[in-house]
Amino acid sequence: MSSDEWKRQAAEQALAHVEDGMKLGLGTGSTAAKFVELLGERVKAGLKVICVPTSEATRAQAAALNIPLATLDEYPALDLTVDGADEIDEDLRLIKGGGGALLREKIVAVASARVIIIADSTKLVDVLGRFPLPIEVVPFGLGSSRSLIERLAADSGCEGEIKLRTAPGGAPFVTDNGNHILDCSFGEIDDPEALDDALKLVPGVVESGLFLGIADIGIIAGPKGVETLSAIESDFEEEE
Ligand code: 5RP
């Protein structure tokens, strides 16, 4: 089975959590797109849901499938968000933003009662950081923001190349919010919470791609089948 098929398997299992009448957040990326595709089939068959997309790309995909769309201004609290991730650890901590949608993804996820992350097993890591950490920054003062990120990240034990993400033509990549992305190759991030706290001190940083304490369930599909990670279960295990 290919990674594409694993993504679809994870998306199929996430669909089982969707109920009639729900307000849903729709993630961004190739895995989330599989979920949107399957959701579109259910909507066509009569399922009633209202969805808030996390990017213009997802908005376009969902609109083409006639999935009813709304904004967080209309529905500030959602029942469930289903999204992908670039990396996921056993504690359901994530790196997101490979697709550049991390800010809207985090806003939508935090507005949701439950967050399900769907991924193929290549995304599962022992320690976050193999995937360069995306950080969304405002264009103004980019050089200063980059230097400050470098300094504060080093204080929390993270060092490595920080690259301004570029679009296919070579110009800086621009997010749906008009910002840029710095991709930080820090390697293993031993203390994601400390790094995230440090990044919040940089005025030009809009958001980091560290999603900590946000995901409730991880549905991971791979050669050994589909594995479900649950935040509640891991808390329970820790208590025992
Ligand atoms: C977009 C994201 C995506 O969820 C992440 O990049 C995973 O994408 P894919 O499912 O294509 O591997 O965070 O900002």
Side-chain angles (χ1 to χ4, degrees), residues 210-239:
L210 287 168
F211 282 49
L212 311 175
I214 291 178
D216 298 293
I217 296 175
I219 301 177
I220 319 292
K224 292 186 197 142
V226 182
E227 182 187 1
T228 301
L229 304 174
S230 156
I232 296 162
E233 268 173 29
S234 46
D235 283 354
F236 182 67
E237 276 164 17
E238 271 167 29
E239 278 168 23

Side-chain angles (χ1 to χ4, degrees), residues 115-139:
V115 176
I116 297 180
I117 296 301
I118 51 176
D120 65 84
S121 58
T122 62
K123 307 289 184 63
L124 204 52
V125 295
D126 290 331
V127 182
L128 295 177
R130 189 179 59 200
F131 190 91
L133 175 67
I135 300 178
E136 182 155 348
V137 288
V138 295

Side-chain angles (χ1 to χ4, degrees), residues 35-216:
F35 175 79
V36 175
E37 196 183 307
L38 295 171
L39 184 70
E41 289 170 13
R42 291 279 305 276
V43 166
K44 198 172 169 193
L47 178 79
K48 298 268 178 288
V49 286
I50 294 173
C51 299
V52 175
T54 54
S55 64
E56 294 309 316
T58 300
R59 179 189 305 284
Q61 184 197 5
L65 294 168
N66 297 314
I67 295 174
L69 296 174
T71 65
L72 281 184
D73 300 322
E74 294 163 300
Y75 295 97
L78 305 177
D79 298 300
L80 170 68
T81 282
V82 178
D83 201 349
D86 298 299
E87 274 188 359
I88 175 165
D89 76 5
E90 289 285 344
D91 294 323
L92 286 176
R93 294 181 294 189
L94 318 171
I95 286 184
K96 285 184 53 56
L102 64 104
L103 176 58
R104 293 189 189 188
E105 288 172 335
K106 200 177 274 188
I107 293 172
V108 169
V110 168
S112 304
R114 254 184 329 150
V115 176
I116 297 180
I117 296 301
I118 51 176
D120 65 84
S121 58
T122 62
K123 307 289 184 63
L124 204 52
V125 295
D126 290 331
V127 182
L128 295 177
R130 189 179 59 200
F131 190 91
L133 175 67
I135 300 178
E136 182 155 348
V137 288
V138 295
F140 180 84
L142 187 61
S144 304
S145 298
R146 187 204 291 245
S147 305
L148 200 48
I149 289 169
E150 202 163 24
R151 241 181 50 214
L152 293 176
D155 288 349
S156 51
C158 292
E159 287 179 59
E161 191 187 14
I162 299 180
K163 257 168 94 173
L164 178 63
R165 189 179 297 182
T166 51
F173 173 83
V174 179
T175 69
D176 284 344
N177 320 297
N179 297 315
H180 295 322
I181 300 245
L182 294 172
D183 289 307
C184 306
S185 299
F186 290 145
E188 291 193 352
I189 302 170
D190 292 322
D191 190 345
E193 284 77 11
L195 176 61
D196 201 40
D197 285 348
L199 294 172
K200 286 188 179 122
L201 298 174
V202 182
V205 167
V206 184
E207 250 321 325
S208 95
L210 287 168
F211 282 49
L212 311 175
I214 291 178
D216 298 293

